[in-house]
């Protein structure tokens, strides 16, 4: 009996017709394992995962393999995007036991949920051998099998909070830059070798560090990496948007899945790079950054927006089981669409060759240089995109994840305001309304929804941090006060439910489901860690409200950054960025004036365009009953809209001209 048919996860629904007797993650599965006295086989993946699909086709759709699983195990299928807590604790065990991690993750556990053997993808013959071996060991040498797993479980269960220390200062942050510089690929951009992931959060930190110090090296690492990614194959040169990562060090061949979180984080970084480039007079970088930010967000709206106003989590890497099928081109395919002369021009422009850069002589499109004929480029690009749209398209995971929608809201709101795109701001507002209407129950966030119906899984720390941050950004852009109150309520839950008693945070609430250990990992992965996301939101909220409690909690949550700054700064990018904001104040900017007055708008835009790290902006009409403390007692000056630049609520003299405000910033 397969019990996945009623799941709200598209990934689980992909397995609903398997011959495996799958269970979702629920207590009944472990009770059934106890009743039958068999191990639990836990399989964790996500819908856009290429190797998850490979293992599904090879093993989970195979009757012989399914029979082995059904006879000897209770098999549990988990969507890691729905249950990041389950994924986190078992991934840590997998890495400890096997020395590596990844998805699909394959874990053998006791009926109490304790892992004793872990791995990732297994080809079918190897997987069948493993199933037989684990079943035999369970029956014949259970004590020995469990003893080995128990050592790992005991080690992982020990408290490891880095709380109690101080947030890093300027010396530690500058030391992180030195460590990053040593790992920087000066030829290709990015950090380290293949595979190469987009370093969004590290780039944000480097932009902020440059704003504080004027370090041109920090800015150059960001500029070079941003251009290399945008001109490479990881960026979709026809429709916009980024793939998950590059399999090579030169950003040529991507792993083709397109994730909401990557595109949201990257769109925001390119927006901030544009802001910095404008401030420094770098017109070329500004033009590239603006184009990539807007194309990425336009793709996000076209490719991931759901009918309810939220954003789907991902596009698959595969189309009909073939990775990259929708995206790659041969010279012959170009000729079919464009004809001979345009096809030859396009092949040279996009790097399409007879040998190919991908599989079977096909090429991933790149754009090493801007086209010499913009009108021809626009026509060719439109024709290729139209033809590509007729191909088999990758599947879409329509699941709405709270944290990732928070990242998208922040990017859309800021880009919409800075690039004069009110449609982007409207999309951000709609997504925020969906989160508060559907994902919020009794003051608590739920992690996911599908088709406007909330799932049952509790929100984790990254959901609270990323959504609260998004609401505060939306307030900065719109001046709508309700977003501040909603963010404050989420952050109160963070303080009340997620604290570890030592200044740090757990990734799950104190009333969440108990796993074999309570997850707590301050390091960034593909998204900001829950701790650093919460720290950023807490700091911004403190700057808007003057709350010492929230500021102190933010500073305490940044204690692990000091340990990571020199040793592993690539895994603490968002924490380093928030620490820069703490060091800067952050600067608080209150803009007051009548809504719709062009003078108010000009001051507001100038405030949003400032590059001070983590600066907080609030917009109001000067009324005395404002619910936002930063706006209290801030009034127009001689009837003219005004801006107040403050730090710790101590403000400089108000200014009424954008040029004066820019000078103060």
């Amino acid at each position: 009996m397969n019990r996945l048919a009623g799941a709200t996860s598209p990934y689980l629904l992909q397995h609903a017709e398997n011959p495996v007797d799958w269970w979702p993650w629920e207590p009944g599965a472990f009770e059934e394992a106890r009743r039958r006295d068999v191990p639990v086989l836990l399989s964790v993946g996500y819908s856009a995962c290429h190797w998850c699909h490979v293992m599904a086709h090879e093993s989970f759709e195979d009757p012989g393999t399914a029979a082995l699983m059904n006879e000897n195990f209770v098999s549990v299928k988990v969507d890691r995007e729905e249950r990041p807590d389950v994924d986190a604790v078992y991934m840590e065990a997998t890495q400890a036991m096997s020395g590596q991690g990844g998805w699909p993750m394959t874990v053998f556990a006791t009926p109490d949920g304790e892992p004793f053997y872990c791995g990732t993808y297994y080809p079918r013959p190897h997987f069948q051998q493993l199933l037989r071996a684990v079943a035999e060991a369970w029956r014949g040498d259970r004590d020995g099998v469990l003893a080995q797993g128990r050592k790992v479980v005991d080690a992982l269960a020990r408290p490891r909070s880095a709380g109690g220390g101080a947030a890093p200062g300027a010396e530690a942050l500058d030391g992180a830059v030195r460590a990053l510089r040593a790992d920087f690929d000066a030829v290709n951009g990015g950090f380290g070798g293949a595979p190469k992931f987009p370093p969004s959060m590290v780039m944000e930190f480097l932009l902020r560090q440059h704003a504080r110090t004027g370090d041109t090296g920090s800015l150059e690492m960001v500029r070079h990496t941003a251009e290399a990614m945008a001109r490479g194959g990881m960026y979709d040169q026809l429709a916009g948007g980024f793939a998950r990562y590059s399999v090579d060090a030169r950003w040529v061949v991507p792993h083709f899945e397109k994730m909401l979180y990557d595109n949201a984080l990257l769109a925001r970084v390119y927006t901030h790079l544009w802001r910095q480039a404008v401030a420094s007079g770098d017109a070329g970088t500004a033009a590239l950054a603006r184009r990539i930010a807007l194309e990425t967000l336009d793709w996000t709206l076209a490719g991931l927006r759901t009918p309810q106003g939220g954003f789907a989590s991902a596009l698959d890497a595969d189309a009909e089981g073939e990775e990259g099928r929708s995206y790659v081109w041969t010279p012959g395919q170009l000729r079919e669409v464009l004809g001979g002369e345009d096809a030859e021009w396009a092949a040279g422009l996009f790097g399409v060759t007879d040998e190919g850069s991908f599989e079977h002589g096909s090429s991933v499109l790149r754009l090493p240089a801007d086209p010499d004929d913009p009108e021809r480029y626009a026509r060719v690009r439109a024709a290729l995109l139209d033809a590509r749209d007729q191909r088999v398209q990758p599947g879409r995971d329509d699941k709405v994840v709270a944290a990732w929608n928070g990242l998208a809201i922040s990017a859309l709101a800021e880009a919409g305001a800075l690039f004069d795109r009110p449609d982007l701001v409207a999309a951000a507002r709609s997504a925020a309304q969906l989160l508060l209407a559907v994902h919020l129950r009794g003051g608590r966030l739920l992690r996911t929804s599908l088709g406007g119906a909330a799932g049952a899984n509790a929100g984790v720390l990254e959901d609270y941090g990323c959504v609260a941050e998004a609401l505060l950004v939306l307030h900065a852009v719109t001046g709508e006060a309700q977003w501040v109150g909603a963010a404050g309520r989420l952050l109160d839950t963070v303080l009340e439910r997620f604290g570890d008693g030592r200044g740090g945070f757990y990734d799950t609430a104190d009333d969440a489901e108990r796993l074999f250990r309570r997850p707590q990992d301050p390091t960034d992965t593909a998204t900001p860690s829950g701790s650093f996301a919460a720290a950023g939101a807490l700091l911004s909220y403190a700057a808007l409200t003057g709350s010492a409690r929230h500021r102190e909690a933010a500073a305490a949550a940044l204690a692990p950054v000091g340990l990571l700054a020199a040793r592993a700064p690539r895994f603490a990018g968002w924490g380093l960025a928030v620490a820069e904001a703490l060091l800067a104040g952050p600067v608080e900017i209150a803009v007051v004036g009548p809504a719709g007055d062009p003078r108010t708008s000009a001051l507001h835009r100038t405030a949003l365009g400032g590059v001070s790290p983590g600066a907080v902006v609030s917009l109001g009409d000067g009324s005395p009953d404002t619910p936002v403390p930063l706006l209290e007692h801030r009034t127009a000056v001689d009837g003219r809209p005004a801006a107040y630049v403050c730090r710790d609520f101590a403000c400089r003299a108000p200014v009424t001209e954008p040029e004066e405000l820019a000078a103060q910033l």
Side-chain angles (χ1 to χ4, degrees):
M1 177 183 177
N2 190 320
R3 300 162 181 81
L4 304 184
T8 57
S9 160
Y11 174 64
L12 266 57
L13 291 173
Q14 290 172 1
H15 294 270
E17 302 300 325
N18 291 167
V20 178
D21 292 341
W22 289 115
W23 288 73
W25 179 277
E26 62 178 52
F30 296 90
E31 293 169 4
E32 178 67 4
R34 290 189 197 94
R35 186 188 70 78
R36 290 177 52 197
D37 192 26
V38 296
V40 170
L41 195 168
L42 181 65
S43 177
V44 183
Y46 59 104
S47 69
C49 166
H50 172 68
W51 289 104
C52 298
H53 296 321
V54 173
M55 191 166 179
H57 295 320
E58 288 181 346
S59 295
F60 303 147
E61 295 172 7
D62 175 60
T65 307
L68 284 172
M69 295 170 67
N70 296 339
E71 179 182 355
N72 297 290
F73 305 93
V74 170
S75 299
V76 177
K77 177 58 74 174
V78 174
D79 182 342
R80 66 176 292 263
E81 297 173 351
E82 277 198 328
R83 292 300 303 262
D85 52 338
V86 172
D87 177 64
V89 297
Y90 286 102
M91 182 58 72
E92 195 169 20
T94 298
Q95 291 169 332
M97 291 185 188
S98 69
Q100 61 183 6
W103 299 276
M105 176 166 53
T106 306
V107 176
F108 296 90
T110 70
D112 292 326
E114 295 186 355
F116 61 84
Y117 191 89
C118 304
T120 54
Y121 161 76
Y122 295 100
R124 182 167 65 192
H126 188 181
F127 188 50
Q128 289 182 345
Q129 293 174 0
L130 179 62
L131 293 171
R132 293 187 180 98
V134 171
E136 182 177 344
W138 180 263
R139 290 189 291 265
D141 185 25
R142 189 177 305 185
D143 290 344
V145 168
L146 297 184
Q148 191 65 29
R150 168 51 58 182
K151 293 178 183 177
V152 173
V153 170
D154 287 346
L156 295 178
R158 296 183 191 126
R160 287 164 292 162
S161 171
E171 183 177 350
L173 298 176
D174 295 342
V177 173
R178 291 191 293 272
L180 288 167
R181 190 173 290 121
D183 203 21
F184 181 65
D185 184 343
V187 175
N188 302 302
F191 299 89
K196 193 171 274 184
F197 291 81
S200 312
M201 294 154 280
V202 167
M203 293 167 74
E204 180 67 32
F205 159 60
L206 290 171
L207 284 174
R208 293 184 179 191
Q209 195 268 352
H210 167 75
R212 172 174 59 87
T213 67
D215 184 345
T216 57
S218 296
L219 182 58
E220 178 57 21
M221 283 190 278
V222 177
R223 190 208 61 76
H224 185 26
T225 300
E227 182 167 6
M229 289 192 301
R231 296 196 180 281
M234 201 181 79
Y235 185 69
D236 184 344
Q237 301 296 342
L238 297 184
F242 289 86
R244 174 78 275 269
Y245 62 87
S246 174
V247 301
D248 61 276
R250 297 185 298 119
W251 309 105
V252 174
V253 178
H255 186 46
F256 287 92
E257 64 196 30
K258 293 171 83 171
M259 312 299 295
L260 173 62
Y261 53 74
D262 282 321
N263 285 283
L265 287 165
L266 285 165
R268 198 176 186 196
V269 165
Y270 279 90
T271 300
H272 292 170
L273 176 59
W274 170 85
R275 185 170 63 185
Q276 179 61 60
V278 169
S280 59
D282 183 351
T285 297
L288 176 72
R290 184 182 191 278
R291 175 174 71 84
I292 298 302
L294 287 175
E295 287 179 359
T296 298
L297 291 172
D298 284 337
W299 171 80
T300 302
L301 290 177
L304 294 181
R305 199 173 191 192
T306 69
Q308 295 77 30
F311 294 93
S313 62
L315 286 190
D316 212 330
D318 300 359
E320 291 191 342
E322 185 177 338
E323 185 176 9
R325 177 176 176 179
S326 302
Y327 299 100
V328 295
W329 295 83
T330 64
Q333 289 171 330
L334 293 181
R335 286 192 294 271
E336 289 176 10
V337 176
L338 301 174
E341 188 175 341
D342 276 352
E344 184 177 353
W345 183 81
L349 182 68
F350 290 120
V352 178
T353 64
D354 290 327
E355 297 79 14
S357 58
F358 189 54
E359 299 170 350
H360 313 301
S362 62
S363 295
V364 181
L365 301 189
R366 294 171 286 151
L367 191 67
D370 289 335
D372 54 9
D373 187 340
E375 291 185 5
R376 188 180 191 185
Y377 167 68
R379 173 170 51 79
V380 164
R381 185 183 183 211
L384 292 177
L385 181 57
D386 183 63
R388 198 182 80 178
D389 287 343
Q390 308 310 311
R391 297 176 175 179
V392 176
Q393 297 298 304
R396 189 174 92 162
D397 186 331
D398 282 334
K399 178 174 72 269
V400 171
V401 178
W404 306 349
N405 272 253
L407 296 175
I409 292 165
S410 295
L412 287 160
E414 284 191 342
L418 290 171
F419 299 137
D420 194 21
R421 284 281 303 273
D423 61 314
L424 300 183
V425 177
R429 184 187 287 108
S430 294
Q433 290 168 339
L434 174 74
L435 292 180
L436 297 185
V438 173
H439 286 245
L440 199 60
R441 291 287 184 272
R444 306 293 291 276
L445 273 177
L446 294 169
R447 170 76 173 173
T448 62
S449 67
L450 184 66
N457 299 304
V460 296
L461 183 59
E462 73 158 346
D463 294 306
Y464 284 85
C466 291
V467 173
E469 161 98 358
L471 299 178
L472 296 175
V473 171
L474 197 54
H475 166 72
V477 166
T478 66
E480 295 162 357
Q482 72 265 27
W483 306 119
V484 179
R489 291 187 287 275
L490 294 178
L491 294 173
D492 284 344
T493 299
V494 168
L495 297 179
E496 294 163 6
R497 293 289 188 175
F498 287 84
D500 67 359
R502 298 179 294 278
F505 293 111
Y506 287 108
D507 292 325
T508 54
D510 56 4
D511 56 353
E513 178 184 357
R514 287 286 184 261
L515 304 174
F516 71 86
R517 84 168 185 86
R518 192 174 176 186
Q520 185 178 35
D521 184 359
T523 58
D524 294 333
T525 53
T527 57
S529 76
S531 290
F532 297 155
L538 287 162
L539 184 62
S540 294
Y541 184 77
L544 282 171
T545 63
S547 169
R549 177 188 180 215
H550 291 81
R551 182 180 176 86
E552 290 165 3
L558 293 175
V561 179
L563 300 175
L564 294 167
R567 301 177 190 174
R570 287 168 59 186
F571 300 96
W574 194 248
L576 290 163
V578 176
E580 285 284 359
L582 180 67
L583 200 62
V587 169
E588 306 145 2
I589 310 163
V591 177
V592 292
D597 188 320
R599 297 172 299 174
T600 306
S601 300
L603 288 170
H604 184 216
R605 181 179 173 82
T606 302
L608 293 172
V611 298
S612 180
V616 170
V617 176
S618 191
L619 174 66
D621 60 9
S623 60
D625 57 348
T626 175
V628 181
L630 181 60
L631 295 173
E632 290 178 0
H633 313 300
R634 316 284 184 233
T635 60
V637 176
D638 297 328
R640 302 176 66 190
Y644 296 75
V645 177
C646 317
R647 181 170 173 169
D648 296 333
F649 273 54
C651 302
R652 301 175 69 174
V655 295
T656 59
E657 297 296 333
E659 296 77 13
E660 296 173 316
L661 175 58
Q664 287 196 3
L665 295 177

